[in-house]
Amino acid sequence: AQKLYKKQASRLDLDKLANVMGYYAQYVNDLSKVKLMKLLWYTDVLFYTRFKVSMTGLVYKHMSLGALPLASVEIINLRTIDTVEELINQDVVYRVVPKQEILLSSFTFDELSVLQLICRTFLDYTNKEIISYMLDEKVFKETELNEVISYDVASGLKYLK
C-alpha cells in the first residue's frame, strides 16, 4: 500500500535532507557538490510529481547552471557528508563523500524508489552533462534567472516519471 503524504506545502526536513545527501554520497561515485545539488532537485521534483509533496522541503532557484537549493552553502555542512577539495584539469572540484553509513531503513519504499531511479539515471553523468540535461528541461525555458522554481511548473520532467 502506498503511503499517503500530506498534500500541504513541504516543510524543510533536515534529517531527511541529510539522509538523502548521505545516500547519494554513499552510492554515487565521484559525486561533486554541483552534481549533488542537481540530484537533490530531481529527487524533490520527481517525488512531488508522484506524491504532491517534496521529499526534503528544499526551495530551488533557477540559476545559470540549473536548479540550486536556497541555503546550498549551509546544507553541504550537514552531518552525513563531507567535502574534499580536488584539482582536476585546473578546475577546483568539491567531491562529496559519506561521513557515516546511511541505513536504507531511513527511507520509505516510495522514497527509496525515487532515490534509486535518480541514482540509476544520473550515476555516470559528469557535472557538465547533468547541467546540460537539466537546462534542457522545459521548466528552465519557462522560468527566469534567479526565479524560485515552483514544483508545479517543474513537474513536467523529460523522461523521469
Side-chain angles (χ1 to χ4, degrees), residues 7-144:
K7 294 201 178 197
Q8 62 191 39
S10 301
R11 288 202 176 110
L12 181 61
D13 184 337
L14 289 177
D15 287 332
K16 183 63 67 184
L17 176 59
N19 285 333
V20 169
M21 293 192 321
Y23 176 91
Y24 287 131
Q26 198 167 297
Y27 292 106
V28 176
N29 296 327
D30 296 326
L31 181 63
S32 68
K33 199 166 141 180
V34 168
K35 187 172 178 178
L36 175 61
M37 296 301 130
K38 307 308 168 217
L39 296 178
L40 290 173
W41 184 79
Y42 274 110
T43 300
D44 277 333
V45 171
L46 181 58
F47 200 77
Y48 182 86
T49 299
R50 291 181 177 181
F51 305 107
K52 298 301 177 215
V53 65
S54 84
M55 191 182 299
T56 68
L58 285 171
V59 174
Y60 299 86
K61 278 181 114 175
H62 175 151
M63 303 304 286
S64 59
L65 300 179
L68 185 68
L70 302 182
S72 60
V73 173
E74 291 81 6
I75 66 173
I76 206 69
N77 295 314
L78 288 174
R79 64 177 162 56
T80 55
I81 61 170
D82 219 343
T83 53
V84 179
E85 191 175 305
E86 294 179 5
L87 189 62
I88 299 174
N89 302 327
Q90 280 81 37
D91 289 330
V92 175
V93 175
Y94 294 93
R95 294 271 172 238
V96 178
V97 295
K99 203 187 279 188
Q100 65 189 58
E101 185 178 354
I102 301 301
L103 302 175
L104 296 182
S105 60
S106 307
F107 302 104
T108 66
F109 175 81
D110 294 331
E111 290 167 343
L112 264 180
S113 71
V114 167
L115 291 169
Q116 290 167 344
L117 176 57
I118 299 298
C119 206
R120 276 193 317 272
T121 302
F122 297 110
L123 186 66
D124 296 323
Y125 276 57
T126 64
N127 285 349
K128 287 180 181 167
E129 289 169 336
I130 198 167
I131 289 167
S132 175
Y133 186 95
M134 181 176 278
L135 291 176
D136 195 43
E137 293 284 5
K138 183 179 169 195
V139 65
F140 290 97
K141 296 171 175 104
E142 296 178 357
T143 56
E144 299 293 324

